[in-house]
Amino acid sequence: MKLSQSTSICFMAFLFLSFNTYAQNIEKLTLNLPTTKVYYSLYNRITLIDARADTVHLGILKTGAFNKTAILVANEPLQQQLNKILKNLTDFTAKQQELVLQLRYICFAEAVGGTSEMGYFMLKAQLYAKVNDGYRKINSIDTIARVSAVIDVSNELLQTGSEILSHFIAVNLKRQPSNYSYGYNDVAKVDSIEKSRLFVYNTNTYADGLYLTYKTFTDQVPDMRITVDGDSLQKNNVKAADETGKLKKVKTGNFFAVVYKGVPYISTFSGYYKLTKKNNDFFFNGKVIDFMHPANNSSGSAASAFMFGAIGGAVAGAINAASSTSNNTEGEFKVNYENGQFIKIR
Protein backbone atom coordinates (compact mmCIF):
# COMPACT_ATOMS: atom_id res chain seq x y z
CA MET A 1 0.00 0.00 0.00
CA LYS A 2 1.38 3.36 -1.02
CA LEU A 3 1.75 5.75 1.91
CA SER A 4 0.54 9.32 1.43
CA GLN A 5 2.61 12.22 2.74
CA SER A 6 0.35 12.69 5.76
CA THR A 7 0.26 8.96 6.47
CA SER A 8 4.05 8.92 6.51
CA ILE A 9 4.14 11.38 9.40
CA CYS A 10 3.22 8.82 11.99
CA PHE A 11 4.95 5.92 10.27
CA MET A 12 8.21 7.86 10.21
CA ALA A 13 7.65 8.94 13.81
CA PHE A 14 7.76 5.34 14.96
CA LEU A 15 10.79 4.53 12.82
CA PHE A 16 12.49 7.59 14.22
CA LEU A 17 11.77 6.61 17.79
CA SER A 18 12.91 3.05 17.15
CA PHE A 19 16.27 3.71 15.51
CA ASN A 20 17.44 7.21 16.37
CA THR A 21 16.94 7.54 20.08
CA TYR A 22 20.51 8.29 21.01
CA ALA A 23 21.41 10.76 18.27
CA GLN A 24 18.61 13.31 18.41
CA ASN A 25 17.20 16.21 20.42
CA ILE A 26 14.98 15.56 23.39
CA GLU A 27 11.94 17.64 24.31
CA LYS A 28 10.21 17.09 27.64
CA LEU A 29 6.47 17.15 28.12
CA THR A 30 4.80 18.70 31.12
CA LEU A 31 1.03 18.29 30.89
CA ASN A 32 -0.86 21.53 31.44
CA LEU A 33 -2.90 21.56 34.62
CA PRO A 34 -6.65 22.19 34.42
CA THR A 35 -8.02 25.41 35.87
CA THR A 36 -11.56 24.24 36.59
CA LYS A 37 -12.87 22.21 39.52
CA VAL A 38 -15.17 19.21 39.63
CA TYR A 39 -17.03 19.36 42.92
CA TYR A 40 -18.22 16.20 44.64
CA SER A 41 -15.99 13.96 42.54
CA LEU A 42 -16.39 10.25 43.16
CA TYR A 43 -12.61 9.86 43.11
CA ASN A 44 -9.76 11.57 44.93
CA ARG A 45 -6.73 9.62 43.71
CA ILE A 46 -5.58 8.14 40.42
CA THR A 47 -3.38 5.20 39.44
CA LEU A 48 -1.79 4.69 36.03
CA ILE A 49 -1.65 1.31 34.32
CA ASP A 50 0.74 1.98 31.45
CA ALA A 51 -0.17 -0.63 28.82
CA ARG A 52 1.72 1.01 25.95
CA ALA A 53 4.17 -1.05 23.91
CA ASP A 54 6.65 1.84 24.35
CA THR A 55 6.36 3.34 27.82
CA VAL A 56 9.08 5.97 27.29
CA HIS A 57 8.46 7.93 24.09
CA LEU A 58 5.47 10.23 23.52
CA GLY A 59 6.06 11.24 19.90
CA ILE A 60 8.05 13.76 17.87
CA LEU A 61 8.11 17.55 17.55
CA LYS A 62 9.75 20.03 15.16
CA THR A 63 11.78 22.57 17.08
CA GLY A 64 13.75 25.74 16.43
CA ALA A 65 14.09 27.92 13.34
CA PHE A 66 15.16 24.95 11.21
CA ASN A 67 12.45 22.59 12.49
CA LYS A 68 14.85 20.04 13.85
CA THR A 69 13.21 16.77 14.86
CA ALA A 70 13.09 16.06 18.58
CA ILE A 71 11.89 13.08 20.58
CA LEU A 72 9.18 13.88 23.12
CA VAL A 73 9.40 12.26 26.54
CA ALA A 74 7.75 12.99 29.87
CA ASN A 75 9.42 15.64 32.02
CA GLU A 76 8.13 13.90 35.14
CA PRO A 77 6.76 10.35 35.30
CA LEU A 78 3.23 10.30 33.92
CA GLN A 79 1.92 8.96 37.24
CA GLN A 80 3.12 12.11 39.01
CA GLN A 81 1.64 14.35 36.33
CA LEU A 82 -1.70 12.56 36.57
CA ASN A 83 -1.64 13.05 40.33
CA LYS A 84 -1.28 16.80 39.79
CA ILE A 85 -4.08 16.89 37.23
CA LEU A 86 -6.48 15.13 39.59
CA LYS A 87 -5.43 17.34 42.50
CA ASN A 88 -6.23 20.44 40.44
CA LEU A 89 -9.58 19.04 39.35
CA THR A 90 -10.85 18.04 42.81
CA ASP A 91 -11.20 19.49 46.29
CA PHE A 92 -12.22 18.37 49.79
CA THR A 93 -15.67 17.30 48.53
CA ALA A 94 -14.20 14.37 46.60
CA LYS A 95 -14.94 10.89 47.86
CA GLN A 96 -12.22 8.52 49.03
CA GLN A 97 -12.12 6.30 45.98
CA GLU A 98 -9.43 5.35 43.48
CA LEU A 99 -9.58 6.10 39.76
CA VAL A 100 -7.48 3.95 37.41
CA LEU A 101 -6.32 5.13 33.99
CA GLN A 102 -5.22 2.38 31.62
CA LEU A 103 -3.12 4.14 28.98
CA ARG A 104 -3.01 2.05 25.82
CA TYR A 105 -1.61 4.59 23.38
CA ILE A 106 -0.57 8.25 23.34
CA CYS A 107 1.31 10.09 20.60
CA PHE A 108 2.10 13.66 19.61
CA ALA A 109 3.20 13.98 15.96
CA GLU A 110 4.18 17.13 14.11
CA ALA A 111 4.95 17.81 10.46
CA VAL A 112 5.81 20.85 8.35
CA GLY A 113 4.31 21.26 4.91
CA GLY A 114 4.16 24.31 2.66
CA THR A 115 3.40 27.44 4.65
CA SER A 116 1.81 25.73 7.64
CA GLU A 117 2.60 23.25 10.38
CA MET A 118 0.30 20.40 11.33
CA GLY A 119 0.12 18.56 14.61
CA TYR A 120 -1.73 15.39 15.54
CA PHE A 121 -2.55 14.08 18.99
CA MET A 122 -3.64 10.46 19.39
CA LEU A 123 -5.00 8.91 22.56
CA LYS A 124 -6.46 5.55 23.48
CA ALA A 125 -7.24 4.94 27.15
CA GLN A 126 -9.78 3.50 29.55
CA LEU A 127 -10.90 4.60 33.00
CA TYR A 128 -11.82 2.25 35.81
CA ALA A 129 -12.92 2.60 39.41
CA LYS A 130 -10.89 0.48 41.79
CA VAL A 131 -13.42 -1.25 44.02
CA ASN A 132 -11.96 -3.68 46.55
CA ASP A 133 -9.71 -5.95 44.45
CA GLY A 134 -11.55 -5.38 41.17
CA TYR A 135 -11.74 -2.81 38.38
CA ARG A 136 -15.08 -1.47 37.21
CA LYS A 137 -15.08 0.28 33.86
CA ILE A 138 -16.17 3.93 33.70
CA ASN A 139 -15.44 5.06 30.14
CA SER A 140 -12.96 4.87 27.27
CA ILE A 141 -11.49 7.11 24.59
CA ASP A 142 -9.96 6.32 21.19
CA THR A 143 -9.40 9.52 19.27
CA ILE A 144 -7.18 11.74 17.19
CA ALA A 145 -7.18 15.54 17.10
CA ARG A 146 -5.55 17.78 14.51
CA VAL A 147 -4.22 21.30 15.05
CA SER A 148 -2.51 23.67 12.64
CA ALA A 149 -0.50 26.88 12.80
CA VAL A 150 1.35 29.17 10.41
CA ILE A 151 4.52 29.52 12.49
CA ASP A 152 4.88 27.06 15.36
CA VAL A 153 2.28 24.42 16.16
CA SER A 154 4.19 22.72 18.98
CA ASN A 155 2.74 24.68 21.89
CA GLU A 156 -0.81 24.41 20.59
CA LEU A 157 -0.36 20.70 19.99
CA LEU A 158 0.92 20.06 23.50
CA GLN A 159 -1.86 22.19 24.98
CA THR A 160 -4.51 20.37 22.95
CA GLY A 161 -3.23 16.98 24.06
CA SER A 162 -3.16 18.10 27.70
CA GLU A 163 -6.72 19.43 27.47
CA ILE A 164 -8.09 16.26 25.86
CA LEU A 165 -6.54 14.04 28.52
CA SER A 166 -7.62 16.32 31.38
CA HIS A 167 -11.11 16.68 29.95
CA PHE A 168 -11.48 12.91 29.62
CA ILE A 169 -10.65 12.54 33.29
CA ALA A 170 -12.77 15.51 34.39
CA VAL A 171 -16.01 14.52 32.65
CA ASN A 172 -15.88 11.07 34.23
CA LEU A 173 -15.15 12.07 37.83
CA LYS A 174 -18.86 12.00 38.71
CA ARG A 175 -19.73 9.04 36.53
CA GLN A 176 -20.69 5.80 38.20
CA PRO A 177 -18.75 2.73 37.01
CA SER A 178 -20.36 -0.37 35.58
CA ASN A 179 -21.47 -3.12 37.92
CA TYR A 180 -19.16 -5.68 36.37
CA SER A 181 -15.80 -6.08 38.08
CA TYR A 182 -12.63 -7.13 36.24
CA GLY A 183 -9.56 -8.70 37.76
CA TYR A 184 -6.19 -7.09 37.09
CA ASN A 185 -5.33 -9.64 34.39
CA ASP A 186 -8.74 -9.18 32.77
CA VAL A 187 -8.14 -5.48 32.21
CA ALA A 188 -5.58 -6.31 29.51
CA LYS A 189 -8.22 -8.25 27.53
CA VAL A 190 -11.26 -6.15 28.37
CA ASP A 191 -12.26 -5.79 24.70
CA SER A 192 -12.78 -9.53 24.29
CA ILE A 193 -14.68 -9.77 27.55
CA GLU A 194 -17.05 -6.94 26.66
CA LYS A 195 -17.69 -8.29 23.17
CA SER A 196 -18.67 -11.61 24.70
CA ARG A 197 -21.68 -9.81 26.21
CA LEU A 198 -22.86 -8.30 22.90
CA PHE A 199 -25.11 -10.71 21.01
CA VAL A 200 -24.13 -9.52 17.52
CA TYR A 201 -20.47 -10.38 18.19
CA ASN A 202 -21.41 -13.93 19.13
CA THR A 203 -23.53 -14.94 16.17
CA ASN A 204 -23.20 -15.39 12.44
CA THR A 205 -26.94 -15.16 11.84
CA TYR A 206 -28.50 -11.70 11.56
CA ALA A 207 -32.17 -10.75 11.70
CA ASP A 208 -33.60 -8.93 8.66
CA GLY A 209 -34.87 -5.43 9.30
CA LEU A 210 -33.92 -1.81 9.94
CA TYR A 211 -31.93 -0.87 13.05
CA LEU A 212 -32.27 2.72 14.21
CA THR A 213 -29.39 2.56 16.68
CA TYR A 214 -26.24 0.64 17.37
CA LYS A 215 -27.87 -0.69 20.54
CA THR A 216 -30.68 -2.44 18.69
CA PHE A 217 -28.15 -3.78 16.18
CA THR A 218 -26.01 -5.33 18.93
CA ASP A 219 -29.15 -6.85 20.44
CA GLN A 220 -30.26 -8.01 16.98
CA VAL A 221 -33.75 -6.65 17.59
CA PRO A 222 -34.85 -4.76 14.44
CA ASP A 223 -36.81 -1.54 14.96
CA MET A 224 -38.71 -1.90 11.67
CA ARG A 225 -39.42 -4.44 8.99
CA ILE A 226 -38.21 -3.44 5.53
CA THR A 227 -39.28 -3.92 1.96
CA VAL A 228 -36.71 -3.74 -0.84
CA ASP A 229 -37.60 -2.92 -4.43
CA GLY A 230 -35.46 -5.29 -6.46
CA ASP A 231 -32.95 -7.96 -5.55
CA SER A 232 -30.23 -5.81 -4.02
CA LEU A 233 -29.91 -2.79 -1.75
CA GLN A 234 -29.73 0.59 -3.42
CA LYS A 235 -29.69 4.03 -1.85
CA ASN A 236 -33.36 4.73 -2.65
CA ASN A 237 -35.03 1.33 -2.82
CA VAL A 238 -35.60 0.49 0.85
CA LYS A 239 -39.00 1.13 2.43
CA ALA A 240 -40.26 0.83 6.00
CA ALA A 241 -43.68 1.37 7.55
CA ASP A 242 -44.30 4.72 9.26
CA GLU A 243 -46.46 5.24 12.36
CA THR A 244 -49.62 4.87 10.24
CA GLY A 245 -48.42 1.63 8.67
CA LYS A 246 -47.80 3.19 5.28
CA LEU A 247 -44.63 2.13 3.48
CA LYS A 248 -42.22 5.00 2.85
CA LYS A 249 -38.69 5.20 1.48
CA VAL A 250 -36.06 5.55 4.19
CA LYS A 251 -33.14 7.94 3.95
CA THR A 252 -29.72 6.41 4.39
CA GLY A 253 -27.70 7.88 7.23
CA ASN A 254 -30.74 8.45 9.46
CA PHE A 255 -30.38 5.03 11.05
CA PHE A 256 -27.53 2.71 11.92
CA ALA A 257 -27.90 -0.39 9.76
CA VAL A 258 -30.13 -2.77 7.85
CA VAL A 259 -30.00 -6.52 7.45
CA TYR A 260 -31.27 -7.85 4.11
CA LYS A 261 -31.36 -11.54 3.26
CA GLY A 262 -29.30 -12.22 6.37
CA VAL A 263 -26.50 -9.82 5.37
CA PRO A 264 -25.82 -6.71 7.50
CA TYR A 265 -25.17 -3.33 5.88
CA ILE A 266 -24.05 -0.10 7.50
CA SER A 267 -26.10 2.98 6.62
CA THR A 268 -24.32 6.26 5.90
CA PHE A 269 -25.52 9.36 4.09
CA SER A 270 -23.67 8.05 1.03
CA GLY A 271 -25.45 4.70 0.89
CA TYR A 272 -25.36 1.14 2.18
CA TYR A 273 -22.11 -0.76 2.70
CA LYS A 274 -21.79 -4.44 3.50
CA LEU A 275 -20.49 -5.26 6.98
CA THR A 276 -17.93 -8.04 7.23
CA LYS A 277 -16.85 -9.66 10.47
CA LYS A 278 -13.10 -10.28 10.77
CA ASN A 279 -11.33 -11.27 13.98
CA ASN A 280 -14.56 -10.52 15.85
CA ASP A 281 -14.80 -6.92 14.61
CA PHE A 282 -17.11 -5.45 11.98
CA PHE A 283 -15.57 -3.69 8.97
CA PHE A 284 -16.89 -2.00 5.87
CA ASN A 285 -15.47 -0.30 2.81
CA GLY A 286 -17.39 2.83 1.94
CA LYS A 287 -17.82 6.56 2.11
CA VAL A 288 -18.83 8.48 5.21
CA ILE A 289 -19.60 12.16 5.54
CA ASP A 290 -19.56 12.53 9.29
CA PHE A 291 -17.67 10.20 11.60
CA MET A 292 -20.17 10.99 14.37
CA HIS A 293 -23.02 8.88 12.99
CA PRO A 294 -26.41 10.30 14.12
CA ALA A 295 -27.58 6.90 15.29
CA ASN A 296 -24.64 6.40 17.62
CA ASN A 297 -24.29 7.13 21.27
CA SER A 298 -21.76 9.71 22.45
CA SER A 299 -18.42 8.40 23.57
CA GLY A 300 -17.90 11.20 26.06
CA SER A 301 -14.69 12.13 24.31
CA ALA A 302 -13.43 15.69 24.27
CA ALA A 303 -12.50 15.30 20.63
CA SER A 304 -15.11 12.77 19.62
CA ALA A 305 -15.68 14.44 16.25
CA PHE A 306 -12.47 12.70 15.22
CA MET A 307 -13.30 9.06 15.70
CA PHE A 308 -10.27 7.25 14.35
CA GLY A 309 -8.26 4.32 15.56
CA ALA A 310 -5.12 5.15 17.47
CA ILE A 311 -3.48 1.74 17.33
CA GLY A 312 -1.55 -0.16 14.68
CA GLY A 313 -2.77 0.20 11.11
CA ALA A 314 -5.46 2.60 12.24
CA VAL A 315 -2.82 5.22 12.97
CA ALA A 316 -1.79 5.57 9.35
CA GLY A 317 -5.33 5.87 8.04
CA ALA A 318 -6.28 8.34 10.73
CA ILE A 319 -3.58 10.81 9.82
CA ASN A 320 -4.60 10.78 6.19
CA ALA A 321 -8.28 11.14 6.96
CA ALA A 322 -7.82 13.94 9.45
CA SER A 323 -5.77 15.88 6.92
CA SER A 324 -8.64 16.04 4.46
CA THR A 325 -10.39 19.36 4.01
CA SER A 326 -13.62 17.53 3.17
CA ASN A 327 -16.02 15.82 5.57
CA ASN A 328 -16.55 13.16 2.92
CA THR A 329 -14.01 10.38 3.45
CA GLU A 330 -13.77 7.07 1.63
CA GLY A 331 -11.89 4.02 2.80
CA GLU A 332 -12.06 1.07 5.16
CA PHE A 333 -13.71 1.55 8.54
CA LYS A 334 -14.10 -0.53 11.67
CA VAL A 335 -17.17 -0.25 13.88
CA ASN A 336 -16.21 0.63 17.44
CA TYR A 337 -17.81 -2.13 19.49
CA GLU A 338 -18.35 0.21 22.44
CA ASN A 339 -20.53 2.83 20.75
CA GLY A 340 -20.91 2.06 17.04
CA GLN A 341 -18.77 4.93 15.83
CA PHE A 342 -16.64 4.50 12.72
CA ILE A 343 -12.90 4.04 13.14
CA LYS A 344 -10.90 4.90 10.01
CA ILE A 345 -8.50 2.07 9.17
CA ARG A 346 -7.17 3.15 5.77
Side-chain angles (χ1 to χ4, degrees):
M1 181 179 67
K2 183 178 180 180
L3 294 177
S4 67
Q5 179 181 6
S6 53
T7 300
S8 300
I9 297 170
C10 222
F11 179 72
M12 292 305 297
F14 292 116
L15 289 181
F16 179 85
L17 293 177
S18 299
F19 301 112
N20 296 282
T21 302
Y22 299 105
Q24 304 296 334
N25 298 329
I26 299 291
E27 287 289 321
K28 295 186 177 181
L29 170 68
T30 298
L31 294 170
N32 295 339
L33 298 178
T35 57
T36 58
K37 289 287 186 184
V38 178
Y39 300 104
Y40 300 100
S41 165
L42 297 177
Y43 314 95
N44 70 339
R45 59 190 185 277
I46 187 168
T47 297
L48 172 66
I49 296 178
D50 198 340
R52 295 176 294 157
D54 179 351
T55 59
V56 176
H57 303 111
L58 296 169
I60 59 171
L61 298 178
K62 299 292 184 178
T63 61
F66 299 102
N67 288 314
K68 294 183 67 175
T69 301
I71 296 172
L72 185 65
V73 298
N75 186 34
E76 290 183 303
L78 290 178
Q79 177 65 69
Q80 294 181 24
Q81 297 198 47
L82 289 172
N83 290 342
K84 292 179 180 179
I85 288 174
L86 190 65
K87 183 177 180 180
N88 271 52
L89 284 171
T90 59
D91 64 359
F92 68 94
T93 62
K95 290 187 176 180
Q96 301 287 322
Q97 191 165 333
E98 182 178 350
L99 186 68
V100 177
L101 176 72
Q102 183 191 34
L103 185 60
R104 301 174 69 175
Y105 188 85
I106 185 170
C107 180
F108 295 81
E110 186 179 338
V112 179
T115 58
S116 64
E117 297 184 2
M118 303 298 301
Y120 302 90
F121 174 71
M122 290 153 278
L123 176 66
K124 183 169 186 176
Q126 290 171 310
L127 280 174
Y128 298 87
K130 180 71 179 299
V131 181
N132 299 322
D133 293 328
Y135 298 83
R136 296 185 180 181
K137 189 175 179 182
I138 302 171
N139 207 348
S140 63
I141 185 172
D142 182 1
T143 193
I144 177 172
R146 184 187 66 173
V147 296
S148 61
V150 175
I151 300 177
D152 184 4
V153 77
S154 297
N155 290 335
E156 185 175 352
L157 174 61
L158 296 177
Q159 180 178 344
T160 297
S162 295
E163 289 176 352
I164 290 174
L165 180 57
S166 294
H167 181 81
F168 175 58
I169 295 171
V171 298
N172 289 293
L173 288 179
K174 299 173 77 171
R175 183 168 181 165
Q176 293 285 352
S178 67
N179 293 326
Y180 187 86
S181 183
Y182 298 98
Y184 183 84
N185 292 330
D186 292 335
V187 169
K189 54 183 180 180
V190 64
D191 290 351
S192 298
I193 294 173
E194 292 191 339
K195 285 178 186 176
S196 71
R197 302 195 199 105
L198 300 176
F199 182 77
V200 76
Y201 284 91
N202 297 278
T203 183
N204 292 314
T205 303
Y206 309 102
D208 279 17
L210 183 147
Y211 298 84
L212 291 173
T213 67
Y214 177 64
K215 177 65 168 62
T216 57
F217 180 72
T218 59
D219 293 339
Q220 278 299 282
V221 180
D223 295 285
M224 301 177 186
R225 297 177 63 183
I226 60 171
T227 298
V228 177
D229 295 332
D231 295 327
S232 61
L233 284 182
Q234 304 293 330
K235 188 172 182 180
N236 297 311
N237 72 342
V238 178
K239 296 179 181 179
D242 62 14
E243 60 274 7
T244 66
K246 184 178 180 181
L247 286 176
K248 288 188 176 182
K249 289 184 178 180
V250 296
K251 294 182 179 180
T252 59
N254 288 337
F255 51 94
F256 184 78
V258 296
V259 174
Y260 178 57
K261 294 183 178 180
V263 179
Y265 297 83
I266 207 71
S267 163
T268 80
F269 289 107
S270 300
Y272 299 104
Y273 301 103
K274 182 179 177 180
L275 281 169
T276 303
K277 188 187 288 186
K278 296 182 294 185
N279 298 321
N280 212 24
D281 274 308
F282 285 98
F283 297 84
F284 69 94
N285 287 286
K287 185 181 294 184
V288 301
I289 295 176
D290 187 348
F291 297 100
M292 289 295 289
H293 195 286
N296 297 343
N297 296 320
S298 171
S299 68
S301 161
S304 55
F306 295 94
M307 196 58 206
F308 304 97
I311 291 292
V315 172
I319 294 292
N320 189 40
S323 300
S324 173
T325 57
S326 170
N327 289 328
N328 198 334
T329 301
E330 189 170 3
E332 183 179 4
F333 297 84
K334 181 174 77 172
V335 176
N336 187 331
Y337 80 91
E338 295 176 287
N339 47 38
Q341 291 175 339
F342 304 151
I343 301 174
K344 184 74 163 61
I345 302 300
R346 53 178 174 265

